[in-house]
Amino acid sequence: MNLTDKKVLIIGGASGIAARLKSDLVAAGADVVLVGRNSTPAVDLTDEDSIRRLAEELGEVDHIVSVSAAHANGPVTELDMGAVHTALDVKVVGPIMVTKHFAGRIRPGGSILLFSGVAGWRPSPGLVVMATGNIAVAALAEALAVELAPIRVNALSPGIIDSGSWDGPDKESFFAQVAAANPSRSIGHPSDVSAAALTVLANPFINGATLHVDGGGRLA
């Protein structure tokens, strides 16, 4: 259960959860590559050629973590088809293509960690695309774990996290409302998610699982 000198590819933004995960992995001795649309190297999960080029450039890796997301929120009667496609491409189809191009480059003992989310287990009006994508990620982790064996594939499902995504004038009241209903009576932090991610990456006997880091929010 040692991440020292392991090469970890994180696909997603450079702030919030991704930034904390990178920091904690580096502290654990890992060699971390954090990529996104505006990074060097760059990757666009809606573009297979971009994914292929990234795989060719990076070569072998030990672990891959996809924290990427694109949102298509709103009433289903008002959804834009292009935005829906983009959201599902980034959350589900993109990681499939990442697996396609990196599967042969994952070293023995390596793994893939996909990010789901609490909306998949606790849907609400206006979040039909998010709920669908998050549930699909959990199913994808199970399917890939079977197909790629012995490469491990897991999913991590955060709840409401104070990662910057909720910043705005209503943040405090929203967080208070969520915390009051959450069985843990609290809001999560990037450090909570990162700690769980490191455990999943390092533990060789966690496979095909979805780890819920939501304070019990899916049950609220």
Side-chain angles (χ1 to χ4, degrees), residues 90-147:
V90 170
K91 198 75 173 181
V92 183
V93 180
I96 293 175
M97 293 297 102
V98 168
T99 303
K100 171 184 175 180
H101 291 282
F102 274 95
R105 295 177 165 90
I106 297 176
R107 295 168 181 151
S111 73
I112 298 171
L113 178 59
L114 308 175
F115 266 59
S116 178
V118 69
W121 286 263
R122 197 169 187 276
S124 59
L127 299 180
V128 64
V129 179
M130 182 182 292
T132 301
N134 286 338
I135 281 291
V137 166
L140 177 59
E142 294 183 355
L144 288 178
V146 173
E147 180 162 340

Side-chain angles (χ1 to χ4, degrees), residues 30-49:
D31 174 17
V32 183
V33 180
L34 177 59
V35 301
R37 284 189 174 186
N38 301 315
S39 66
T40 303
V43 68
D44 180 352
L45 290 185
T46 67
D47 180 357
E48 184 179 358
D49 284 340

Side-chain angles (χ1 to χ4, degrees), residues 15 19 26 60-61 68-69 75 83 87 136 152 155 158 170 179 184 187 198 202 218:
S15 60
V26 169
E60 290 188 339
V61 299
S68 294
R152 296 182 299 112
D170 299 324
S184 71
I187 295 295
L198 263 65
R218 69 196 180 283

Side-chain angles (χ1 to χ4, degrees), residues 11-103:
I11 303 173
S15 60
I17 292 172
R20 179 59 190 251
L21 179 56
K22 177 182 179 180
S23 175
D24 288 348
L25 281 167
V26 169
D31 174 17
V32 183
V33 180
L34 177 59
V35 301
R37 284 189 174 186
N38 301 315
S39 66
T40 303
V43 68
D44 180 352
L45 290 185
T46 67
D47 180 357
E48 184 179 358
D49 284 340
S50 171
I51 296 169
R52 175 185 51 77
R53 289 192 298 270
L54 177 66
E56 292 173 350
E57 181 172 349
L58 291 186
E60 290 188 339
V61 299
D62 293 287
H63 302 283
I64 299 172
V65 184
S66 178
V67 300
S68 294
H71 300 301
N73 298 334
V76 69
T77 54
E78 299 176 10
L79 291 177
D80 174 75
M81 190 170 185
V84 172
H85 277 301
T86 297
L88 296 179
D89 280 350
V90 170
K91 198 75 173 181
V92 183
V93 180
I96 293 175
M97 293 297 102
V98 168
T99 303
K100 171 184 175 180
H101 291 282
F102 274 95

